[in-house]
Amino acid sequence: INADVSLEADVARIFRHIRDFMPPLKGIIHAAGVIEDGILSQQDWSSFARVMAPKMKGAWNLHALTRGMDLDFFVLFSSATSLFGNSGQGSYAAANAFLDALAHYRHRQGLPALSIDWGAWSEAGMTASLGESVKRQMVSRGVGFISLDEGLHAFEKVTRMSCARNGCLPAQIGIMQIGRAHV
């Protein structure tokens, strides 16, 4: 079933389908995102909204429509950009900071919640398609890349440690490779 997570009606339709035709839903992994780089002063509202919709509206729709469900996990894929910022990615940083705040909000309500602030992945995700010169520049600034195996291992580890209710982990955790900047 195709759906736009930023549209509440689409998400509700998916949950009705799950309720009517599938076993009970036990968890959510929200990994939607859009990057539209640019200096904030040169961006318009529509570019800001395109970046915010899948992260903010999508996560909120999933939260609102699952509040009464007995979920084992509710995982939000955030970005290290929300922790450190990144030139030209103000909208993206703000959208990911919302995910972090939502996880804390759910956590305080006793609902399952974990926001993972991912660093750059080498073989998957938004940074996988970057050119080698951009990747070298990132490495020169101290940004390391998470391999697919490392990322999957870390994801498994933190989701196991994050208990469903009032988890063992805090509501937010950062997973990234950080090295020395080469100048």
Side-chain angles (χ1 to χ4, degrees):
I1 297 174
N2 290 329
D4 182 340
V5 73
S6 70
L7 300 174
E8 184 178 5
D10 278 14
V11 178
R13 180 174 45 83
I14 294 292
F15 288 150
R16 281 192 304 277
H17 178 81
I18 292 169
R19 181 195 65 218
D20 294 344
F21 301 106
M22 301 177 80
L25 182 66
K26 297 311 287 177
I28 298 289
I29 298 174
H30 175 273
V34 171
I35 291 181
E36 194 163 319
D37 291 354
I39 298 169
L40 282 178
S41 64
Q42 296 176 355
Q43 289 193 349
D44 59 15
W45 179 251
S46 63
S47 64
F48 182 76
R50 278 190 296 276
V51 173
M52 301 302 260
K55 292 274 186 190
M56 288 181 63
K57 286 182 180 179
W60 186 260
N61 289 337
L62 292 169
H63 159 70
L65 294 171
T66 62
R67 272 188 295 222
M69 294 182 186
D70 185 28
L71 298 179
D72 292 335
F73 58 90
F74 190 97
V75 179
L76 302 164
F77 276 35
S78 184
S79 169
T81 302
S82 74
L83 301 173
F84 305 118
N86 196 14
S87 180
Q89 292 187 337
S91 300
Y92 188 67
N96 284 289
F98 176 85
L99 296 183
D100 301 339
L102 177 59
H104 286 278
Y105 176 73
R106 286 181 58 87
H107 205 256
R108 282 192 308 273
Q109 292 182 335
L111 298 170
L114 177 62
S115 184
I116 304 174
D117 294 298
W118 288 106
W121 286 54
S122 59
E123 304 155 45
M126 295 178 176
T127 56
S129 62
L130 295 176
E132 288 305 313
S133 64
V134 174
K135 288 181 179 180
R136 280 193 301 276
Q137 185 180 41
M138 291 172 70
V139 169
S140 75
R141 293 189 321 237
V143 175
F145 289 89
I146 301 168
S147 73
L148 189 56
D149 287 341
E150 290 168 330
L152 293 174
H153 176 74
F155 178 73
E156 180 182 4
K157 187 174 182 177
V158 299
T159 53
R160 280 190 184 174
M161 292 171 60
S162 178
C163 302
R165 305 263 185 234
N166 299 317
C168 304
L169 286 177
Q172 178 183 2
I173 189 166
I175 300 175
M176 60 207 76
Q177 292 278 3
I178 300 175
R180 289 184 159 168
H182 302 283
V183 288

